[in-house]
Amino acid sequence: MVTGLIPAWSTTKSWTAMIVGMLVDQGLLSLTDTLGNIFDDEADWDDIVDAEEKQTLTVRELLTFTSGLCEPVVGLVDGLVNQNSLADVLNATRYSQNGRGSFEYLGTNHIMARVVFKVSGQTPLEVASDAFTAMGLVEGTDYTWDSFGGVQGSAFGFKCNARTLAKLGLVYLQQGLASDDKRIV
């Protein structure tokens, strides 16, 4: 049995989706919110490739991989490591009008982490801290989470053990409950 922490790769997206659900429950975010509305005062859209189209993308489209964003504008390695600002994240992928509405897996973009940070004023890990405690997770023992420009990644970067992954699955199976009396989402 593996007891060490190993990269969970794209299951990081499942942790991020849980956090987004928490923000929706708190009324801080809606699945119909657009990137243009979320980042209205932060993004310099003049510096963003396909800015007009990217501003219209909704949280729901981003979570369901139907936004029309596709991999990557830059080489894969550059896209993985160079997402240290909102502009980096927004420019890390291309937009395809033909792809909008159709499923296209977006494996390397940390855009949802920046959405979480913008609407809550906290990093994904800070937002999830109470939920992780309710799940019995201890940072460093059960998980670590890599940051990109001070914000944990939402596409990858979560490292954990099998027990930690099972706990996330259990929360989903229990319809958002970490225990009999503690609802997370």
Side-chain angles (χ1 to χ4, degrees), residues 20-40:
V20 167
M22 293 166 58
L23 295 175
V24 169
D25 286 347
Q26 295 169 21
L28 296 175
L29 186 63
S30 167
L31 296 178
T32 58
D33 287 345
T34 65
L35 293 182
N37 291 333
I38 293 167
F39 298 116
D40 64 338

Side-chain angles (χ1 to χ4, degrees), residues 15 18 130-137 163-164 167-168 171 178 184:
W15 294 98
M18 179 188 78
D130 288 343
F132 284 7
T133 299
M135 294 168 71
L137 301 178
R163 182 176 167 267
T164 301
K167 286 186 175 193
L168 177 64
V171 166
I184 293 174

Side-chain angles (χ1 to χ4, degrees), residues 101-112:
S102 299
F103 179 83
E104 178 153 351
Y105 183 70
L106 189 62
T108 62
N109 193 287
H110 296 303
I111 197 161
M112 291 311 301

Side-chain angles (χ1 to χ4, degrees), residues 6-160:
I6 58 172
W9 296 110
S10 286
T11 58
T12 303
K13 295 170 185 65
S14 297
W15 294 98
T16 303
M18 179 188 78
I19 293 166
V20 167
M22 293 166 58
L23 295 175
V24 169
D25 286 347
Q26 295 169 21
L28 296 175
L29 186 63
S30 167
L31 296 178
T32 58
D33 287 345
T34 65
L35 293 182
N37 291 333
I38 293 167
F39 298 116
D40 64 338
D41 61 346
E42 185 176 343
D44 184 356
W45 290 102
D46 291 336
D47 294 334
I48 307 303
V49 176
D50 300 318
E52 188 174 321
E53 294 85 357
K54 288 178 180 177
Q55 288 180 64
T56 67
L57 303 181
T58 66
V59 171
R60 180 185 313 276
E61 288 173 316
L62 293 164
L63 287 172
T64 59
F65 301 103
T66 59
S67 66
L69 293 181
C70 48
E71 300 284 3
V73 168
V74 294
L76 184 59
V77 172
D78 289 339
L80 291 174
V81 297
N82 292 327
Q83 293 189 51
N84 295 314
S85 70
L86 176 59
D88 291 344
V89 170
L90 290 171
N91 281 323
T93 53
R94 296 178 291 112
Y95 174 79
S96 167
Q97 180 62 43
N98 292 337
R100 194 157 188 184
S102 299
F103 179 83
E104 178 153 351
Y105 183 70
L106 189 62
T108 62
N109 193 287
H110 296 303
I111 197 161
M112 291 311 301
R114 294 294 170 164
V115 168
V116 168
F117 186 70
K118 174 62 177 177
V119 302
S120 70
Q122 298 179 306
T123 67
L125 183 54
E126 290 169 333
V127 172
S129 65
D130 288 343
F132 284 7
T133 299
M135 294 168 71
L137 301 178
V138 177
E139 187 173 7
T141 302
D142 297 311
Y143 70 91
T144 61
W145 203 339
D146 294 340
S147 294
F148 301 85
V151 179
Q152 289 81 32
S154 55
F156 59 89
F158 196 79
K159 295 178 182 80
C160 62

